[in-house]
């Protein structure tokens, strides 16, 4: 059986689900095809900071209710340099706040809302091929019951993450891909423990970086700089606690301990594909660009992409394709600014394993310059909270 939809969306992550939700708000239906199960999508742990623009969009489009009740709204972060803490008062410097609300909670809210709105979300569904002609794309897929199906769409959006196979359709030679690798990674743990303090602590220390983040009053999220080749077995609980206390404790603050119930290594990579479109196929979120986790920009960038793509698709379906033609040109400057910020925060806070003494002294001088100047703290704060999302009439 062949079905038809205005917009076929591959991937039920932040980009795909938000796009589907925004399109629906403008009266445009879509079909979301996701290879994972709903349970997997709703339980995979990723980063957890929502920028002001993301919070505003959630409130404006009616999916912010649980976030409003449960998220931790933060007005500052701390940077600790060898145990000496400096607070960056985000709200005082920018008027904006950020929320600690994990990505999977966001996805739970969006899935519930799409289902309540009667949206077509197909889990455990694999896309076998995106074909057809440039003007009339066709998706062949296998549904959860193993049936081969076909979907015709006016437009196709690949929002299926950093390993998207559809990127090569947009950029067949790979010439539009810009990459950067980092000589370190993060070891992430989830811990049953009370909060150390309300605000996040980004700690740099000669022994490496540590980040003290949170998931709830009783579950904490900690990260430690590690080698990219490290595995979960390299880090015993004792080694984790020793490293956390060495790197992030300060004279009047001790990182709170508890049972570690999850361990994972997170890779550090930057990549951008430009342009993010070809014909009727569009890339959104990690399918087009990946940032390292420092600063937690990835999900916010994905949502910023579709804040442009949704109105652009709506207009194009109504016979006005100009905004859609400009999609890449509009979103890429924000993508590159976020790439820069994520790279800058990462480079300033992590000691590379092969850094010369000159490089490590220079890095600490940069941190000291930024933290000791009001302009420096303001710059960091502005980048951290992010810019407002663009709004387009349809
Ligand atoms: C997280 O809680 O997962 C998190 C928070 C802040 C970051 C990165 C990750 O910069």
């Amino acid at each position: 059986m062949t079905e038809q939809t205005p917009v076929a969306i591959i991937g039920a992550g932040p980009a795909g689900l938000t796009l589907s939700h925004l399109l629906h708000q403008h009266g445009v239906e879509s079909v979301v095809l996701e290879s994972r199960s709903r349970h997997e999508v709703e339980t995979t742990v990723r980063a957890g900071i929502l920028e002001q623009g993301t919070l505003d969009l959630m409130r404006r489009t009616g999916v912010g209710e649980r976030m409003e009740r449960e998220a931790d709204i933060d007005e500052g972060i701390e940077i600790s340099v060898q145990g000496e803490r400096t607070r960056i008062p985000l709200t005082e410097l920018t008027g904006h706040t950020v929320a600690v609300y994990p990505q999977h909670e966001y996805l739970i809210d969006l899935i519930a809302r799409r289902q309540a709105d009667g949206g077509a979300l197909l889990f455990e569904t694999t896309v076998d091929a995106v074909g057809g002609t440039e003007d009339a794309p066709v998706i062949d897929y296998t549904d959860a019951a193993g049936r081969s199906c076909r979907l015709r769409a006016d437009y196709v959006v690949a929002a299926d993450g950093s390993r998207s196979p559809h990127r090569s359709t947009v950029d067949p030679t790979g010439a539009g891909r810009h990459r950067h690798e980092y000589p370190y990674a993060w070891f992430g743990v989830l811990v049953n423990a009370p909060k150390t303090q309300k605000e996040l602590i980004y700690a740099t220390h000669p022994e490496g970086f540590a980040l003290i983040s949170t998931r709830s009053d009783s579950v904490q999220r900690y990260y430690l700089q590690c080698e990219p080749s490290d595995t979960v077995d390299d880090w015993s609980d004792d080694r984790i606690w020793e490293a956390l206390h060495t790197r992030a404790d300060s004279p009047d603050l001790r990182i709170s301990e508890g049972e570690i119930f999850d361990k994972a290594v997170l890779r550090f990579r930057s990549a951008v594909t430009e342009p993010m479109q070809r014909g009727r196929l569009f890339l959104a979120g990690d399918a087009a660009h990946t940032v390292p986790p420092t600063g937690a920009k990835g999900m916010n960038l994905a949502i910023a992409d579709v804040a442009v793509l949704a109105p652009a698709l709506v207009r194009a379906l109504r016979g006005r394709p100009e905004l859609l033609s400009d999609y890449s040109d509009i979103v890429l400057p924000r993508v590159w600014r976020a790439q820069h910020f994520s790279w800058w925060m990462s480079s300033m806070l992590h000691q590379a394993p092969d850094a010369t003494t000159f490089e490590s002294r220079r890095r600490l001088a940069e941190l000291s310059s930024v933290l000791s100047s009001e302009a420096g703290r303001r710059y960091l704060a502005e980048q951290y909270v992010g810019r407002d999302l663009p709004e387009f009439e349809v």
Side-chain angles (χ1 to χ4, degrees), residues 46-49 186 200 202 211 213 215 221 223 293-296 384:
R46 295 265 165 76
I49 299 283
W186 276 3
L200 271 57
Y202 291 80
L211 171 58
S213 181
R215 286 293 174 266
R221 181 74 165 149
Y223 298 100
T294 324
Y384 193 89

Side-chain angles (χ1 to χ4, degrees), residues 241-299:
W241 292 121
E242 194 187 315
L244 277 166
H245 289 305
T246 304
R247 300 177 191 187
D249 279 359
S250 48
D252 55 348
L253 190 81
R254 185 174 159 81
I255 305 311
S256 77
E257 285 194 28
E259 177 212 356
I260 297 173
F261 65 91
D262 188 78
K263 301 180 181 181
V265 176
L266 281 75
R267 300 296 300 271
F268 264 58
R269 287 204 184 94
S270 289
V272 180
T273 288
E274 52 186 16
M276 291 163 56
Q277 63 197 87
R278 187 187 180 93
R280 287 175 176 252
L281 175 62
F282 298 82
L283 303 176
D286 273 9
H289 42 72
T290 304
V291 289
T294 324
K297 292 282 176 214
M299 172 175 169

Side-chain angles (χ1 to χ4, degrees), residues 128-394:
D128 303 310
V130 179
T133 63
E134 276 244 322
D135 284 338
V138 173
I139 295 188
D140 288 313
Y141 67 93
T142 306
D143 74 6
R147 283 185 298 252
S148 296
C149 308
R150 177 160 272 198
L151 179 65
R152 293 186 191 284
D154 294 305
Y155 297 99
V156 178
V157 177
D160 49 348
S162 55
R163 290 195 211 99
S164 174
H166 309 292
R167 193 161 56 232
S168 61
T169 308
V170 170
D171 177 27
T173 64
R177 188 85 172 152
H178 310 281
R179 296 171 214 274
H180 182 71
E181 293 273 340
Y182 300 76
Y184 35 78
W186 276 3
F187 196 86
V189 293
L190 285 165
V191 183
N192 283 318
K195 271 185 197 158
T196 300
Q197 65 165 26
K198 177 162 165 40
E199 293 177 350
L200 271 57
I201 306 171
Y202 291 80
T204 188
H205 185 276
E207 295 207 0
F209 171 81
L211 171 58
I212 307 306
S213 181
T214 181
R215 286 293 174 266
S216 68
D217 285 339
S218 55
V219 175
Q220 309 314 317
R221 181 74 165 149
Y222 301 148
Y223 298 100
L224 285 162
Q225 178 180 349
C226 68
E227 300 279 333
S229 58
D230 279 2
T231 65
V232 165
D233 298 332
D234 292 322
W235 287 80
S236 66
D237 289 9
D238 284 349
R239 183 177 175 203
I240 291 167
W241 292 121
E242 194 187 315
L244 277 166
H245 289 305
T246 304
R247 300 177 191 187
D249 279 359
S250 48
D252 55 348
L253 190 81
R254 185 174 159 81
I255 305 311
S256 77
E257 285 194 28
E259 177 212 356
I260 297 173
F261 65 91
D262 188 78
K263 301 180 181 181
V265 176
L266 281 75
R267 300 296 300 271
F268 264 58
R269 287 204 184 94
S270 289
V272 180
T273 288
E274 52 186 16
M276 291 163 56
Q277 63 197 87
R278 187 187 180 93
R280 287 175 176 252
L281 175 62
F282 298 82
L283 303 176
D286 273 9
H289 42 72
T290 304
V291 289
T294 324
K297 292 282 176 214
M299 172 175 169
N300 295 290
L301 266 190
I303 291 168
D305 284 352
V306 301
V308 179
L309 190 52
L313 286 166
V314 175
R315 282 195 201 176
L317 286 160
R318 294 177 184 164
R320 288 179 291 133
E322 294 77 18
L323 186 60
L324 193 56
S325 310
D326 290 345
Y327 163 62
S328 287
D329 291 341
I330 293 170
V331 300
L332 277 162
R334 175 191 282 265
V335 169
W336 278 111
R337 281 195 303 269
Q339 287 291 356
H340 168 67
F341 178 69
S342 307
W343 172 91
W344 179 64
M345 279 280 274
S346 301
S347 311
M348 198 164 58
L349 293 168
H350 294 72
Q351 160 113 347
D354 59 352
T356 61
T357 52
F358 176 85
E359 282 161 348
S360 69
R361 300 298 290 266
R362 186 213 61 79
R363 179 177 73 80
L364 292 172
E366 181 179 10
L367 252 178
S368 152
S369 301
V370 171
L371 297 180
S372 63
S373 132
E374 211 255 355
R377 293 192 295 272
R378 184 182 298 279
Y379 173 75
L380 198 158
E382 280 173 357
Q383 305 292 314
Y384 193 89
V385 300
R387 297 197 182 185
D388 291 345
L389 294 179
E391 282 186 63
F392 295 94
E393 300 292 319
V394 297

